[in-house]
Amino acid sequence: VQLVESGGGLVQAGGSLRLSCAASGFTAAANYAIGWFRQAPGKERKGVSCISSSDNSTYYSDSVKGRFTISSDNAKKTVYLQMNNLKPEDTAVYYCAAEIWGSSCREFDYWGQGTQVTVSS
């Protein structure tokens, strides 16, 4: 299983970015979940959002709810994270992760390499 993130970069506060996570190496027809996590310098990695392929259920952390939107193209096995109204505290390395033996958004088996998001004030 491979996960490749893209779309990170430098943006001013209030701006937007869209991250992509392209997954490969497992059957698209199976139930799975893709989540986004982030890790700021000196801090623990935290969950940001997740989408389940079984029913397209979505989950968001309180810190991004209303600003970030997760979506998926199951045929392409690509998940997107649209990030609007970005704040300096959103600065972090963003990782996508896959749960391929279920779709609970709780047990992630594979991780991408991460993409840097930097929000300037």
Side-chain angles (χ1 to χ4, degrees), residues 5 9 11 27 50 64-66 78-80 83 85 90-91 103 105:
E5 302 100 333
V11 64
T27 304
C50 185
V64 307
K65 202 171 293 183
T78 299
V79 170
Y80 306 96
M83 307 186 295
N85 191 23
D90 294 318
T91 295
S103 57
C105 283

Side-chain angles (χ1 to χ4, degrees), residues 30-33 51-57 74 103-104:
N31 285 339
Y32 64 94
I51 187 164
S52 169
S53 71
S54 59
D55 59 1
N56 281 331
S57 297
N74 288 342
S103 57
S104 68

Side-chain angles (χ1 to χ4, degrees), residues 6 17-22 34-36 49-51 58 60 68-74 76-83 96:
S6 62
L17 285 173
R18 188 177 82 154
L19 304 183
S20 299
C21 173
I34 301 289
W36 285 97
S49 184
C50 185
I51 187 164
T58 57
Y60 297 94
F68 291 11
T69 303
I70 192 169
S71 60
S72 68
D73 183 331
N74 288 342
K76 295 182 179 179
K77 284 189 287 186
T78 299
V79 170
Y80 306 96
L81 186 67
Q82 178 67 43
M83 307 186 295
C96 68

